[in-house]
Amino acid sequence: MSQAGAPERDDVRRLVNEAHKPRAADMASLQALQKTQKEKDATVALRRQESISQSLASKAVPQVQLRSIAFKKQPRHVHLPQSPRSRASMEAKQPEALQDMFHDMGDVGLKPVNVYHNLTTAELYEHALKYEKSSHITSMGALATLSGAKTGRSPRDKRVVKDPASQDDIWWGEGSPNFEMDEQTFKLNRERAVDYLNMLDRIYVLDAFAGWEAGSRLKIRVVCGRPYHALFMFNMLVRPTEEELAEFGTPDFTIYNAGAFPANRYTSFMTSPTSIDVSLEHKEMVILGTQYAGEMKKGVFSLMNYWLPKRGILSLHSGANVGAAGDVTMFFGLSGTGKTTLSADASRPLIGDDEHGWGDRGVFNIEGGCYAKAIGLKAENEPEIFNAIKFGTVLENVVFDDDSRVVDYDASTITENTRASYPIEYIDNAHIPCLAGHPKNIIMLCCDAFGVLPPVAKLTKEQAMYYFISGYTAKVAGTEQGVTEPEATFSACFGSAFLMWHPAKYASMLADKMEAHGTSAWLINTGWTGGAFGTGSRFKLKHTRAIVHAIHSGELERAEYETMPVFRLQVPKGVTGVPSEALMPKNAWVDKENYDATLEELAALFKENFAQFRGGDGHLGVDLSTYGPL
């Protein structure tokens, strides 16, 4: 890249770092932040040290022996000599499934010395504790670890190869999360990743599935150098049985995670030492320059966002639960809207909390686990998540007491984006297997800090498409540096960063499935009433829960409605358990003129945002802007 491009490159790197600013420059500094220590009496500590030394002085120090890796139907640890002849001989002795795996790795030049394949949770704990200084067991049995300098995703470093077979399908240009790269640069980055992995003393290979529905799943292979990454994806993917593993064969998609090694930022299409590259033609993903495990999770979701619609299955960034009668509800919503809280309902088992597919047989979870925010976690507020943190759970970037290993979930010393990854079976109310029938209701959540949207509105099919593409919520003062007034935020399909097709493609599929299965759509505002943030008050959670209950009971299907001006939303005249004056938002405002002005302000922001999606009219067959605000 020329010197003239350097300022632009620096600007992009600055934007990437703004999302989750690093608290320290290197891993050693991060490890220092990971533990808290109480003040101790130095004399007491010295006596303890002397006592231990005296106890060991007359005894031989025991040699710690790791137990042998158990061989079941498939060996999980294979040592491969570097001599070509010896290596070929050793590979030939392996079961057919492993021979296929070594052949696939050899095709890209990957020739590791020690391969650990589909280790158990306990085995990965042992490896993490032995080989990674940043790994520790917390008081609840979870594995606490660090993701390095990157504590969040790097969306502006995502690259998609522009190849002839898929380039006309991919959403490029304004508003798109897909930044193009060519095949040659992808191969260079893959070579760089493979060279790094070949230098390691050991690598970890995980074979698992994306998708609970057998006919709609993909076989995913993860190749990485950190046991933490292997355990994370063991939690997040659908875990195969021994029989499925023996018959796994060639994967549909492979992730080469060399995140501890940087990209060459002077390579074409690179703007920083971080690069997350996807090739649909090669069915591969390469990660360089970031050890944040969420890149793998969302890389798989981006793949499914391309692959599933190609097969007539709608991929959705949503939560889902199911009632006793088999009635499914899907929840869409950006951060802070209450998606996790409202989809976690003791009377309705959880199908999944984040990623789903909607096909001909109904809804299925794409993932085998959950990736929950841990900052501020409390047992009384989110008992399902709190109780899921135990042996097998990965805790990312949390702070804990050096002695007791008790986690301080309020601490943001390393990052505000602390996370917990655990198998979905750890949720007591999980619906296993994670699939069910067609949705009866779709709930689109927003947190309107402007205070002008109603707590609930019934949407027509066209309005559902419009608000799905818009993906609206609002930031409020104090949540991010520099935010002093309510700030509208839009994310297409409530997950713009992971879309591969134009948003209109997903919206069109949503409308077709709603019509085919008689699905109702609702807009629920969990934000402010009686005024904007700073003047009004937030809707009470008990009122929002009452609205969701009224949807599930059928009360709102039978209700009478009136039309809200400007946005033309259908608002119920009454909902059991909700004050009637709160339903039509203008009634709750003292300053009616200010309400009207604020309503027009938000309407203008909606129209401005939606203008970028005009190019998707070919998918829709209708101008959806006419179904938004006037």
Side-chain angles (χ1 to χ4, degrees):
M1 186 177 290
S2 66
Q3 287 295 104
E8 180 181 351
R9 183 168 62 249
D10 291 341
D11 286 343
V12 173
R13 292 177 68 188
R14 176 182 55 78
L15 287 171
V16 170
N17 287 329
E18 279 178 355
H20 300 287
K21 296 180 180 179
R23 299 291 202 275
D26 53 36
M27 186 63 80
S29 301
L30 282 171
Q31 289 170 9
L33 297 176
Q34 194 177 24
K35 304 176 189 175
T36 57
Q37 292 184 322
K38 299 183 178 72
E39 290 188 12
K40 301 172 185 175
D41 188 322
T43 305
V44 173
L46 183 59
R47 287 174 184 168
R48 283 183 61 192
Q49 184 177 352
E50 290 174 349
S51 174
I52 294 170
S53 298
Q54 289 172 2
S55 298
L56 295 176
S58 60
K59 299 178 179 64
V61 178
Q63 296 296 313
V64 179
Q65 299 289 336
L66 286 180
R67 69 178 181 83
S68 300
I69 302 295
F71 277 52
K72 293 186 179 179
K73 293 185 180 179
Q74 299 292 329
R76 294 202 289 274
H77 172 214
V78 180
H79 173 81
L80 295 170
Q82 288 301 288
S83 163
R85 180 176 296 179
S86 300
R87 186 183 187 91
S89 175
M90 178 61 75
E91 289 183 4
K93 295 177 182 178
Q94 304 308 317
E96 184 177 350
L98 288 188
Q99 289 186 42
D100 291 341
M101 182 182 77
F102 292 132
H103 180 269
D104 293 338
M105 292 195 298
D107 283 347
V108 297
L110 188 58
K111 298 180 179 180
V113 176
N114 288 291
V115 178
Y116 292 90
H117 181 234
N118 277 60
L119 294 190
T120 64
T121 297
E123 290 165 337
L124 288 169
Y125 261 55
E126 290 169 357
H127 280 240
L129 295 170
K130 182 177 181 181
Y131 298 118
E132 297 189 345
K133 292 182 179 179
S134 60
S135 293
H136 305 272
I137 299 179
T138 69
S139 61
M140 299 300 289
L143 184 73
T145 189
L146 295 172
S147 66
K150 298 279 186 173
T151 57
R153 290 183 301 102
S154 302
R156 296 197 62 85
D157 288 314
K158 174 186 173 184
R159 299 289 180 268
V160 179
V161 176
K162 200 168 190 178
D163 66 71
S166 62
Q167 65 180 13
D168 292 337
D169 298 334
I170 304 299
W171 177 29
W172 309 103
E174 182 186 3
S176 167
N178 303 308
F179 299 92
E180 70 175 89
M181 75 184 309
D182 62 19
E183 183 181 15
Q184 181 63 21
T185 304
F186 175 82
K187 288 181 176 179
L188 285 172
N189 280 358
R190 184 182 65 187
E191 188 81 0
R192 191 173 176 89
V194 166
D195 285 346
Y196 169 76
L197 291 169
N198 278 336
M199 290 191 305
L200 300 179
D201 293 334
R202 68 200 67 83
I203 68 167
Y204 301 87
V205 177
L206 172 71
D207 288 336
F209 299 108
W212 279 79
E213 189 176 87
S216 305
R217 61 177 33 167
L218 285 184
K219 296 183 291 184
I220 306 295
R221 172 166 292 160
V222 179
V223 182
C224 57
R226 293 190 65 180
Y228 140 55
H229 287 153
L231 180 57
F232 175 90
M233 290 304 281
F234 178 82
N235 287 346
M236 298 312 302
L237 292 173
V238 181
R239 292 156 289 284
T241 64
E242 288 287 347
E243 291 73 20
E244 289 171 333
L245 190 58
E247 299 173 359
F248 196 80
T250 301
D252 298 308
F253 194 75
T254 301
I255 298 173
Y256 296 103
N257 189 340
F261 197 69
N264 184 340
R265 58 195 178 96
Y266 295 104
T267 304
S268 299
F269 302 98
M270 299 298 102
T271 54
S272 81
T274 299
S275 192
I276 303 99
D277 309 328
V278 175
S279 171
L280 296 171
E281 180 180 4
H282 291 282
K283 301 177 182 177
E284 293 172 336
M285 177 180 182
V286 172
I287 299 175
L288 291 165
T290 174
Q291 298 179 69
Y292 180 66
E295 296 289 8
M296 294 184 288
K297 164 188 158 67
K298 289 307 184 185
V300 171
F301 186 45
S302 294
L303 168 70
M304 298 297 272
N305 269 331
Y306 179 76
W307 187 82
L308 289 178
K310 289 278 278 188
R311 287 150 182 79
I313 301 168
L314 176 60
S315 51
L316 296 165
H317 193 217
S318 67
N321 62 27
V322 58
D327 55 306
V328 173
T329 295
M330 304 199 79
F331 295 83
F332 301 93
L334 302 178
S335 179
T337 58
K339 181 183 71 170
T340 301
T341 301
L342 294 172
S343 60
D345 185 329
S347 65
R348 298 176 62 86
L350 182 72
I351 302 169
D353 73 332
D354 198 43
E355 303 171 8
H356 292 85
W358 184 358
D360 292 338
R361 290 181 287 275
V363 167
F364 61 89
N365 192 348
I366 290 173
E367 301 183 292
C370 303
Y371 192 35
K373 291 180 180 178
I375 193 72
L377 181 63
K378 291 179 174 56
E380 57 270 27
N381 294 340
E382 295 179 285
E384 298 87 358
I385 296 174
F386 190 89
N387 293 332
I389 297 176
K390 53 188 176 182
F391 180 79
T393 298
V394 176
L395 285 174
E396 279 184 331
N397 302 314
V398 298
V399 175
F400 53 83
D401 182 80
D402 194 12
D403 287 335
S404 67
R405 293 298 197 264
V406 172
V407 176
D408 181 0
Y409 292 109
D410 292 325
S412 58
T413 313
I414 298 172
T415 178
E416 289 86 1
N417 191 37
T418 54
R419 293 274 180 166
S421 162
Y422 47 85
I424 194 165
E425 292 88 347
Y426 284 16
I427 296 291
D428 292 336
N429 198 33
H431 183 74
I432 307 293
C434 300
L435 36 78
H438 297 285
K440 182 177 181 180
N441 293 291
I442 287 173
I443 295 175
M444 300 183 191
L445 299 163
C446 70
C447 175
D448 177 32
F450 292 82
V452 296
L453 293 182
V456 61
K458 183 172 174 55
L459 302 177
T460 65
K461 180 184 71 175
E462 292 79 11
Q463 284 178 321
M465 296 166 75
Y466 179 89
Y467 286 98
F468 180 62
I469 290 177
S470 296
Y472 165 70
T473 193
K475 299 175 185 176
V476 297
T479 58
E480 290 188 16
Q481 187 174 353
V483 178
T484 57
E485 297 291 337
E487 184 177 301
T489 299
F490 299 93
S491 182
C493 306
F494 297 93
S496 176
F498 322 117
L499 301 183
M500 298 293 276
W501 299 82
H502 191 283
K505 167 82 170 178
Y506 302 96
S508 177
M509 292 182 70
L510 178 68
D512 290 344
K513 291 186 179 296
M514 286 177 57
E515 189 168 9
H517 302 291
T519 306
S520 297
W522 311 86
L523 180 69
I524 290 183
N525 173 22
T526 62
W528 270 255
T529 180
F533 174 82
T535 303
S537 59
R538 190 158 188 182
F539 284 111
K540 289 181 169 55
L541 178 58
K542 67 177 182 179
H543 293 158
T544 302
R545 288 196 185 279
I547 289 169
V548 173
H549 178 74
I551 290 171
H552 288 152
S553 69
E555 176 187 338
L556 287 187
E557 286 287 0
R558 302 183 296 270
E560 294 184 13
Y561 288 84
E562 55 184 324
T563 303
M564 173 185 164
V566 182
F567 278 77
R568 296 175 290 179
L569 294 170
Q570 295 299 301
V571 180
K573 293 183 178 180
V575 180
T576 302
V578 181
S580 57
E581 63 272 15
L583 295 173
M584 190 61 74
K586 187 173 183 177
N587 296 339
W589 281 57
V590 175
D591 188 341
K592 309 296 185 187
E593 290 185 4
N594 190 16
Y595 171 83
D596 291 337
T598 306
L599 183 67
E600 292 290 350
E601 178 187 355
L602 182 59
L605 293 173
F606 264 86
K607 288 185 279 189
E608 179 185 354
N609 171 71
F610 205 81
Q612 67 182 303
F613 303 121
R614 297 276 181 169
D617 290 349
H619 289 293
L620 301 170
V622 62
D623 180 6
L624 280 185
S625 62
T626 59
Y627 294 92
L630 294 171

